[in-house]
Amino acid sequence: MSMNTQGRPTGVEGVETQPGQFESFSGHVGLRLAEPLIFELGSTDTTGVDVPEVEDFDMCLGGLERKSEIGCPGLSEPDTVRHYTRLSRRNYGIDMGVFPLGSCTMKHNPRLNEKMARLPGFGDIHPLQPQSTVQGALGLIDELATWLMTLTGMPAVAMSPKAGAHGELCGVMAIRAALEARGDAREIVLCPESAHGTNPATAAFCGYKVKSIPAKENGRVDIEALKAALDDTVAAVMITNPNTCGLFETEIREIADEIHKAGAFFYADGANFNAIVGKARPGDLGVDAMHINLHKTFSTPHGGGGPGSGPVVFSDALKDFAPVPYVVKDAEGFHLVENKEGKSFGRMVAFHGQMGMYVRALSYMLSHGSDGLKQASEDAVLNANYVLASLKDVMTPSFDGPCMHEALFDDRFLKDTGVTTLDFAKAMIDEGYHPMTMYFPLVVHGAMLIEPTESESKANMDQFIRSMRGLAAAAKAGEVARFEGAPYHAPWKRLDETQAARKPVLRWEAGE
Amino acid sequence: MLKFTEDHEWLDIEDGIATVGITDYAQKALGDVVFVELPEVGATYSKGDEAAVVESVKAASEVYAPISGEITAVNTALEGEPALVNSAAMDQGWFFKMKVEDEGELDELMDETAYADFVAGLE
Amino acid sequence: MRYLPLTGADREAMLAKIGVRHVDDLFKDVPSDVLNPTIDLPRHKSELEVERYLSRLAAKNTVAGTVPFFVGAGAYKHHVPATVDHMIQRGEFLTAYTPYQPEIAQGTLQYIFEFQTQVAQLTGMDVANASMYDGSTATAEAVLMARRVTRKKKAVLAGSLHAHYKAVVETTTQYTDDEIVCLTPMPADPEAELQAAIDAIDDATSCVVVQNPGVFGHVLDLTKVAEAAHAKKALLIVVVTEVMSLGLIKSPGEMGADIVVGEGQSIGNGLNFGGPYLGLFATNDKLVRQMPGRLCGETVDADGKRGFVLTLSTREQHIRREKATSNICTNSGLCALAFTIHMTLLGEAGLRGVAKANHKAAYDLKAAMASVPGVEVLNQTFFNEITLKLPVAARAVVDTLADRGILAGVPASRLYPGEGLDDILIMAATETVTADDIQALAAALKEAF
């Protein structure tokens, strides 16, 4: 035989495994590619598009041509792709691993949703086209509305709010409109201490004073305190259910009855609806209004901070006050009511809301079906309880189980270790995980809120649990160094937020 | 004359004018102060009104008028250097000065020893 | 159920570990009589079935890119390079959360910083936020901010502010004691309309809100509105619904704006039947602490390496709760990324070129429309949108042309019912409009009345 010994070596013998303490000449470190700002890369006369050739003509701008430099640099198409690809690699996403961010519901974002939203029949239609040319789009909105109403057991839904907080605003405005319509000027909105910050912010936005109601030892609303606070000055009570401690409000119907007895409305923050879709309907629990975060419960992507979508379901008492626009169906097909009529409290957005998110949410719902949606809720709750059961001996759960879709721990297990909740969370980054939600809800000390979602397999969960147990043991063993400077292996070390806030630099300036 | 409130503010009263700031205990609890929103000179507050806001990276806290009266001066140095609240809470980090309208209100405040006891009781 | 990885055996093992027999034992806090309701909805579908079903719905709509298309009035059809949509679908962008953990979110934070800078440059302002829901909600936020800054309550909305934006401002402020003065649209006399706004400014005025180009397409010099507003210690809020226009028209900052808000959809984002879009929000340095929404700022990490963080967050709801500047929680992250990538591809040179092509298309459209008997073009000035006065009701004409496969524009009466604008038609022509499209439109219009 002939022996050809040429070619590259494939073994690892003799390869140095300890990294040398040298700096690269490029500024890159292996796959960690340094990437400056576009303002430091491009120039204002570079462009990555084919600029249309336009012959000269008499411009009709009333002498208001933009003569001064704008300053926006351009990059060629290859450089643009490379720039944003490099940036993307500095991010953690659901696609990369477990993302146990409690309250935020980081579930898998199916790519079918993306494909459907980009069908030209949905993506390339204008909101002000004649309605006869968008019957399929109006039909889709109507169909999604039907799914939302059926899943919540509520008789109406306002589709247009752009996000959860916007939905809250929609709900509280409808409540205020309903109260004013009956000549009932009320001043106060009650929120539990554990509420999302948006709840009091929303109530204040609608002109209400906010009063806090305390929680009981078991993490639920103190119904006696609620009763004491309820009188004819209370417009609404805003309650998240399951609540921000990941617990179902066991006395929810009694709470609803008390609210209604006082002539007030029950606003449910639907941020955690994902725990009970297909399992229980808010309409059966006495809810008057509830927003639904399509980006949480129905898998539309979080996109690094939006866009969201926050439709609001209404009870009979509130449905006439819903904002425009809304879709109605008659013999000729679907049409939009676009201008305020009747008791509607007005308009919350230009056009009709987050169509792109509607398509994604409906794509998800159709895929799961009524059976799959229920299974998803069950799996989400199962996964959270599995985490709770697997960590309760080494971390300190704030409440006895079972929990719903998220498990809440506090920092008692870190007492006297010198490790804080923040340190613990940052050490999770070195483990390859996104930290859990920390310091929220405010009702327990050093809160750590873990929401695995239904998207995680048992194998993923087991690996995550091993990692968390390891960290808890390391903290108790006094390995403070593992935590106090963490993350050590992220692309960036801890960032100086004090400097950022004291001397804000909010844009790039030439000559920096 | 140095006085203190339960909201961790200090007042240094001299010739009918009170210089107001937050205590060392307060600045430590807040952490790195990044911004101070000061009242307008000439504005009048009743005791307990929100007169200023002090912000750290993660929190914003109201500073209440510890007594009633008119604002006669504000510490504009804090606008450029909020860190003074951390480094010199009890002197250069003062917030505002106000006229003492009602001497009687001063009697309700704590002196240095009482405040020290008050803080000790919190820990 | 392809999105659910747990197997039956997994579930059994996990229930055993938890120490319960059935998953419903975990739902024991839910009142038993409401647990597991009958849900009258279809069962799960395969990917193929869902695709088929939704494709059929989509096929019922007339796609803008397939017909002569002149619809604008707040949302515009532009060509978005393929690179944009590809890049925003990278999982690290698409499936990331709000960048609260900056060590593992520098990708998002850096593009937000780039976005903020681009928006500030485009609008001619000092600083911009990380985006809002859309142009209309950004406008309402600007009015509320003007009130915080000036401590005055009266907002003047100029006549040619988009009707939906007016409605959003009115709705948003209806439970505060703000006074909103909504002026009448005057498509034929933009100067008189602007003068009416100036005349409405008094000592109680917090802000005057003017859209440029106006909803009827007129391009206006706002310098004298700025002067009038500032003389009364009020703010000038300039609304830009067609952000592409900033490539050709003097910036609002150069005309004296204190706050610039806008709809950013035109750059990087498709029509999407009205959303998701992105609100732009820019202002001057001295007002930044009154600005709503997320902000990203530059800092360093523990090694001294430049990095970015969300900052000044004490203004926001999750810290300030009922004292927040706004209840806004999300921005339009991914839409802002699309905007930034498209802007980076364009650069100043590309933006100016595309903007000029828009203006030329509208110039050609105007000439063609002026040749249609009975049609009066109401614009002396315009960017990519013009307004026609027709001899008949515009709505009927638009419907007739739609039946012939031409989407001719927006009847003003759809936006402003009951304002006597039945014969007014608003038409946009962007770089996507061809000479053939314009010819087809003119020919059809000649037969429409």
Side-chain angles (χ1 to χ4, degrees):
Chain A
M1 64 186 283
S2 70
M3 295 273 285
N4 186 349
T5 57
Q6 292 188 357
R8 63 191 170 86
T10 54
V12 294
E13 282 162 53
V15 172
E16 184 66 58
T17 53
Q18 288 298 317
Q21 296 300 313
F22 49 79
E23 280 188 22
S24 70
F25 301 108
S26 62
H28 304 316
V29 183
L31 282 178
R32 283 187 198 167
L33 297 161
E35 186 65 7
L37 293 158
I38 50 171
F39 310 99
E40 296 154 345
L41 287 170
S43 77
T44 53
D45 46 18
T46 305
T47 182
V49 301
D50 299 312
V51 179
E53 285 173 26
V54 178
E55 63 208 67
D56 277 335
F57 62 103
D58 290 330
M59 292 210 262
C60 304
L61 300 171
L64 293 168
E65 285 95 313
R66 186 163 193 170
K67 300 201 176 82
S68 60
E69 186 183 63
I70 300 170
C72 294
L75 296 179
S76 70
E77 181 175 311
D79 284 342
T80 302
V81 169
R82 196 165 280 169
H83 177 71
Y84 290 101
T85 302
R86 287 179 174 183
L87 292 195
S88 74
R89 292 163 53 94
R90 302 167 176 186
N91 273 6
Y92 192 90
I94 307 164
D95 283 2
M96 297 164 77
V98 179
F99 208 129
L101 196 62
S103 194
C104 300
T105 313
M106 302 301 284
K107 63 169 72 177
H108 172 60
N109 299 147
R111 291 313 191 275
L112 175 64
N113 301 353
E114 298 303 310
K115 186 177 179 188
M116 294 300 96
R118 286 168 172 82
L119 290 171
F122 296 132
D124 193 23
I125 54 173
H126 191 288
L128 296 176
Q129 281 180 217
Q131 292 177 24
S132 61
T133 68
V134 289
Q135 285 295 302
L138 297 176
L140 182 135
I141 295 175
D142 186 68
E143 182 161 354
L144 177 61
T146 302
W147 278 76
L148 294 174
M149 290 187 291
T150 307
L151 290 169
T152 55
M154 303 282 279
V157 59
M159 296 297 292
S160 69
K162 293 257 176 189
H166 206 221
E168 281 178 36
L169 188 60
C170 175
V172 178
M173 282 200 164
I175 288 168
R176 176 137 183 183
L179 287 168
E180 290 193 351
R182 71 181 196 211
D184 196 350
R186 295 179 176 228
E187 294 161 5
I188 291 166
V189 166
L190 302 176
C191 299
E193 286 167 343
S194 61
H196 290 110
T198 50
N199 293 174
T202 299
F205 208 90
C206 293
Y208 289 114
K209 285 192 205 104
V210 180
K211 274 196 192 164
S212 219
I213 26 178
K216 284 191 297 194
E217 289 280 298
N218 68 1
R220 272 85 174 182
V221 171
D222 182 342
I223 192 164
E224 292 308 319
L226 176 71
K227 276 194 217 168
L230 271 169
D231 58 27
D232 62 4
T233 64
V234 174
V237 182
M238 300 179 81
I239 292 177
T240 308
N241 190 31
N243 69 24
T244 57
C245 301
L247 303 171
F248 195 89
E249 291 286 350
T250 39
E251 295 174 298
I252 193 71
R253 280 190 300 191
E254 292 80 355
I255 290 171
D257 289 344
E258 291 298 329
I259 293 170
H260 292 145
K261 224 188 290 173
F265 290 97
F266 178 6
Y267 186 89
D269 180 328
N272 296 336
F273 185 47
N274 59 302
I276 57 168
V277 175
K279 296 295 289 180
R281 296 181 302 189
D284 295 334
L285 302 170
V287 167
D288 290 302
M290 181 181 89
H291 72 266
I292 299 163
N293 304 79
L294 296 185
H295 49 287
K296 295 183 181 178
T297 303
F298 297 112
S299 83
T300 74
H302 282 72
S309 181
V312 182
V313 287
F314 285 120
S315 65
D316 280 318
L318 291 177
K319 68 176 197 272
D320 292 346
F321 302 94
V324 291
Y326 48 86
V327 177
V328 293
K329 191 177 183 186
D330 58 25
E332 289 161 30
F334 297 101
H335 75 260
L336 273 167
V337 177
E338 291 183 286
N339 293 294
K340 185 177 161 170
E341 52 186 57
K343 295 176 184 167
S344 165
F345 74 73
R347 171 182 278 277
M348 301 205 65
V349 294
F351 313 125
H352 329 310
Q354 305 287 64
M355 181 66 177
M357 300 297 128
Y358 304 159
V359 181
R360 289 172 175 87
L362 187 61
S363 164
Y364 173 86
M365 290 173 169
L366 290 168
S367 295
H368 268 312
S370 56
D371 50 334
L373 290 171
K374 181 179 172 190
Q375 184 70 58
S377 300
E378 290 177 354
D379 284 0
V381 170
L382 181 60
N383 273 352
N385 278 284
Y386 187 62
V387 167
L388 185 63
S390 304
L391 294 178
K392 67 181 176 191
D393 57 328
V394 292
M395 292 169 63
T396 36
S398 300
F399 303 104
D400 291 336
C403 61
M404 296 302 283
H405 60 299
E406 53 197 357
L408 178 61
F409 299 89
D410 52 45
D411 62 3
R412 281 172 296 157
F413 75 100
L414 295 175
K415 193 166 186 294
D416 302 326
T417 61
V419 176
T420 64
T421 290
L422 179 75
D423 298 333
F424 192 85
K426 295 293 186 191
M428 287 170 69
I429 295 175
D430 285 334
E431 295 287 314
Y433 296 113
H434 192 283
M436 76 294 257
T437 292
M438 46 180 156
Y439 301 107
F440 181 85
L442 308 174
V443 290
V444 303
H445 198 270
M448 301 176 212
L449 188 61
I450 299 178
E451 179 177 12
T453 83
E454 70 276 15
S455 304
E456 299 307 331
S457 67
K458 181 168 179 295
N460 289 342
M461 302 279 297
D462 286 337
Q463 192 191 33
F464 173 74
I465 287 162
R466 274 197 299 278
S467 169
M468 295 294 283
R469 293 184 69 88
L471 287 178
K476 284 174 190 165
E479 291 179 31
V480 178
R482 182 191 281 271
F483 298 91
E484 65 183 1
Y488 296 101
H489 302 301
W492 266 256
K493 300 277 174 62
R494 284 196 205 181
L495 288 117
D496 187 345
E497 297 187 43
T498 302
Q499 178 185 324
R502 277 188 179 159
K503 302 246 184 290
V505 177
L506 305 172
R507 63 173 287 183
W508 178 84
E509 300 269 11
E512 269 182 24
Chain B
M1 179 171 52
L2 204 53
K3 289 281 191 182
F4 295 85
T5 73
E6 292 188 1
D7 299 314
H8 306 287
E9 292 163 33
W10 57 263
L11 300 81
D12 188 9
I13 300 118
E14 208 178 309
D15 299 334
I17 301 286
T19 304
V20 181
I22 65 169
T23 63
D24 209 44
Y25 175 87
Q27 70 80 13
K28 274 189 195 133
L30 287 171
D32 290 343
V33 170
V34 298
F35 181 67
V36 178
E37 188 183 317
L38 296 166
E40 279 176 37
V41 174
T44 311
Y45 293 97
S46 300
K47 180 179 172 173
D49 286 353
E50 182 186 320
V53 179
V54 54
E55 295 185 4
S56 63
V57 174
K58 300 286 183 197
S61 311
E62 285 75 32
V63 175
Y64 304 103
I67 53 172
S68 304
E70 186 191 324
I71 304 290
T72 59
V74 298
N75 187 2
T76 48
L78 296 183
E79 284 165 10
E81 209 178 335
L84 284 174
V85 178
N86 295 115
S87 60
M90 299 295 292
D91 55 84
Q92 286 153 287
W94 62 278
F95 281 43
F96 51 83
K97 293 176 192 280
M98 59 196 304
K99 264 186 206 154
V100 180
E101 210 168 69
D102 176 2
E103 297 260 342
E105 283 178 350
L106 298 176
D107 299 337
E108 297 159 28
L109 302 172
M110 291 177 275
D111 62 17
E112 206 159 355
T113 322
Y115 180 70
D117 291 345
F118 172 71
V119 167
L122 296 175
E123 281 157 359
Chain C
M1 281 166 226
R2 57 192 178 275
Y3 306 145
L4 301 177
L6 292 185
T7 66
D10 289 339
R11 292 183 184 113
E12 289 306 317
M14 292 163 75
L15 287 171
K17 166 79 188 173
I18 296 163
V20 296
R21 298 175 62 148
H22 189 273
V23 71
D24 279 348
D25 297 337
L26 303 175
F27 287 86
K28 70 177 177 58
D29 292 337
V30 179
S32 57
D33 57 320
V34 304
L35 188 66
N36 297 326
T38 307
I39 303 280
D40 184 18
L41 289 167
R43 287 170 56 80
H44 65 275
K45 285 184 169 58
S46 71
E47 183 161 326
L48 176 64
E49 287 171 313
V50 173
E51 192 167 333
R52 189 178 288 143
Y53 183 85
L54 289 174
S55 296
R56 282 184 187 150
L57 265 184
K60 291 183 186 170
N61 304 318
T62 305
V63 175
T66 61
V67 294
F69 186 83
F70 303 91
V71 189
Y76 299 89
K77 175 162 180 59
H78 292 287
H79 176 71
V80 178
T83 300
V84 174
D85 203 41
H86 171 78
M87 295 307 301
I88 69 167
Q89 287 189 79
R90 284 188 64 92
E92 302 93 325
F93 288 135
L94 187 78
T95 72
Y97 191 68
T98 306
Y100 290 136
Q101 300 298 331
E103 300 89 348
I104 48 172
Q106 285 298 309
T108 298
L109 286 158
Q110 183 166 331
Y111 85 64
I112 293 176
F113 191 79
E114 293 178 349
F115 171 83
Q116 288 176 180
T117 306
Q118 287 170 329
V119 173
Q121 290 173 329
L122 284 168
T123 54
M125 304 300 284
D126 295 333
V127 53
N129 74 11
S131 78
M132 321 275 300
Y133 302 138
D134 73 349
S136 68
T137 50
T139 304
E141 293 281 359
V143 168
L144 294 167
M145 172 171 154
R147 177 181 174 160
R148 289 194 297 273
V149 170
T150 64
R151 299 181 186 178
K152 296 192 281 183
K153 295 176 190 170
K154 178 175 150 185
V156 175
L157 311 186
S160 62
L161 177 63
H162 194 290
H164 290 172
Y165 286 48
K166 286 183 179 172
V168 172
V169 171
E170 288 184 305
T171 299
T172 308
T173 56
Q174 66 184 321
Y175 300 128
T176 62
D177 56 359
D178 294 75
E179 180 195 351
I180 307 296
V181 179
C182 241
L183 299 172
T184 311
M186 300 182 205
D189 198 346
E191 288 301 327
E193 194 188 74
L194 204 57
Q195 191 57 47
I198 290 171
D199 294 344
I201 301 169
D202 59 22
D203 289 326
T205 304
S206 64
C207 60
V208 54
V209 184
V210 189
Q211 180 177 326
N212 199 31
V215 72
F216 302 107
H218 308 288
V219 178
L220 301 166
D221 186 352
L222 304 179
T223 317
K224 58 181 194 267
V225 193
E227 285 165 6
H230 296 156
K232 298 286 185 189
K233 292 191 162 44
L235 305 187
L236 170 62
I237 298 171
V238 177
V239 177
V240 181
T241 61
E242 172 47 299
V243 65
M244 196 66 85
S245 69
L246 295 174
L248 206 60
I249 301 173
K250 207 169 164 182
S251 71
E254 289 173 280
M255 294 197 241
D258 299 287
I259 303 174
V260 182
V261 289
E263 175 50 69
Q265 169 267 328
S266 279
I267 295 181
N269 289 271
L271 290 169
N272 290 320
F273 200 48
Y277 291 171
L278 71 155
L280 310 180
F281 198 113
T283 188
N284 293 320
D285 277 334
K286 65 179 194 302
L287 301 181
V288 68
R289 284 184 185 270
Q290 293 296 340
M291 182 155 66
R294 287 185 186 136
L295 275 169
C296 166
E298 186 181 313
T299 188
V300 293
D301 77 354
D303 289 339
K305 183 161 73 164
R306 178 174 71 183
F308 303 92
V309 291
L310 292 180
T311 191
L312 305 189
S313 57
T314 44
R315 302 160 300 115
E316 293 180 63
Q317 50 78 23
H318 60 108
I319 309 257
R320 290 288 264 163
R321 296 172 84 85
E322 70 268 23
K323 285 187 173 146
T325 51
S326 162
N327 84 333
I328 194 166
C329 191
T330 51
N331 58 346
S332 285
L334 211 59
C335 301
L337 174 62
F339 181 103
T340 285
I341 296 172
H342 193 183
M343 262 315 298
T344 299
L345 283 164
L346 286 167
E348 177 166 344
L351 179 74
R352 285 182 184 272
V354 174
K356 193 172 174 191
N358 274 258
H359 191 39
K360 178 62 163 54
Y363 179 87
D364 293 343
L365 175 68
K366 183 187 171 187
M369 292 301 100
S371 74
V372 177
V375 168
E376 185 190 346
V377 180
L378 299 180
N379 299 67
Q380 300 297 317
T381 61
F382 56 88
F383 169 63
N384 67 358
E385 198 155 27
I386 59 173
T387 295
L388 312 186
K389 190 173 186 334
L390 302 179
V392 294
R395 192 180 278 262
V397 172
V398 166
D399 288 343
T400 306
L401 266 62
D403 290 343
R404 297 184 54 173
I406 295 170
L407 297 181
V410 180
S413 62
R414 182 167 176 182
L415 298 175
Y416 302 93
E419 298 260 14
L421 301 177
D422 290 355
D423 53 357
I424 302 296
L425 177 61
I426 304 168
M427 286 182 160
T430 71
E431 81 285 358
T432 63
V433 163
T434 66
D436 288 349
D437 293 339
I438 293 175
Q439 229 170 29
L441 171 70
L445 208 53
K446 280 173 187 161
E447 293 167 16
F449 41 79

